[in-house]
Amino acid sequence: MIDNNWYAVYVKSRHEFVTYNELIQKNIETFLPLVKMLRYWRDRKKIIDAPLFPGYIFVYLPADPQYFLSVLRTKGVVRFVDYEYGKPAIVSSEEIKSLKILLNGDGNITVYPELHEGARVSIKRGPLTGAEGIIQRKEDHFIFLVNINILGRSVGVKLYGCDLEAS
């Protein structure tokens, strides 16, 4: 008996819903984490459901090439996320379970990059957008440092993780 596992699937840009529906029609257990988001147009604003991880869907499959091929032949699917070429990476059931619990709660969900001290990052929003540097953690925030190596000096500013992305 082959055990089922969760796998992350990379899909074409803006194809999350199309791919999700196609996989459901194939009777493949699929998880598309969604968040409520305020979307602005010129003439109106509206709260919509948006993918929490744009470009990704999770599928629950046996480790059988027949199932992988069925997913890969689905409209919008680009590839499985893998660590080693040709071998889809398993997503922990505990991570999926915890993610579902968070999404069912009333909290405001925000995606943060996986940040660690010494990581090279860039600022993705605000007046400092585009600046690149190194981060250090301090209490509930990060210190974003721009190093001027030739002078042996760093300039820092306090930021929160949601404003940063890995370079």
Side-chain angles (χ1 to χ4, degrees):
M1 175 97 187
I2 299 175
D3 289 336
N4 286 10
N5 293 304
W6 284 101
Y7 300 92
V9 177
Y10 180 62
V11 300
K12 290 181 183 177
S13 179
R14 299 181 184 252
H15 278 71
E16 296 89 354
F17 293 102
V18 170
T19 304
Y20 173 82
N21 290 326
E22 295 247 344
L23 289 166
I24 293 297
Q25 287 179 354
K26 291 182 175 187
N27 292 320
I28 294 173
E29 186 175 347
T30 307
F31 175 47
L32 174 57
L34 300 173
V35 291
K36 301 281 185 205
M37 189 167 113
L38 186 60
R39 181 82 189 265
Y40 293 92
W41 287 273
R42 279 188 230 165
D43 60 337
R44 68 189 187 285
K45 57 185 176 180
K46 183 179 177 182
I47 294 178
I48 62 165
D49 284 328
L52 180 62
F53 305 113
Y56 295 93
I57 290 179
F58 299 99
V59 294
Y60 191 64
L61 305 169
D64 181 332
Q66 172 186 337
Y67 288 96
F68 293 133
L69 194 54
S70 178
V71 170
L72 289 170
R73 289 184 173 157
T74 304
K75 183 177 182 179
V77 170
V78 175
R79 64 179 172 81
F80 280 89
V81 175
D82 57 19
Y83 294 121
E84 184 180 322
Y85 182 74
K87 186 176 180 191
I90 295 172
V91 179
S92 159
S93 293
E94 290 77 24
E95 289 175 348
I96 297 292
K97 179 183 172 189
S98 296
L99 183 55
K100 286 180 177 182
I101 291 169
L102 283 175
L103 291 171
N104 287 331
D106 293 335
N108 187 10
I109 304 285
T110 304
V111 176
Y112 292 92
E114 187 175 339
L115 300 173
H116 57 277
E117 283 193 72
R120 184 143 189 82
V121 296
S122 60
I123 299 175
K124 66 179 181 180
R125 69 171 142 239
L128 305 175
T129 299
E132 293 187 12
I134 307 293
I135 59 166
Q136 287 188 346
R137 187 161 187 77
K138 186 168 184 172
E139 297 166 12
D140 66 337
H141 60 272
F142 291 94
I143 302 294
F144 176 81
L145 298 171
V146 174
N147 295 325
I148 310 300
N149 294 325
I150 194 129
L151 300 179
R153 300 281 190 265
S154 297
V155 177
V157 63
K158 178 170 62 169
L159 292 173
Y160 292 91
C162 60
D163 295 327
L164 302 172
E165 63 186 356
S167 293

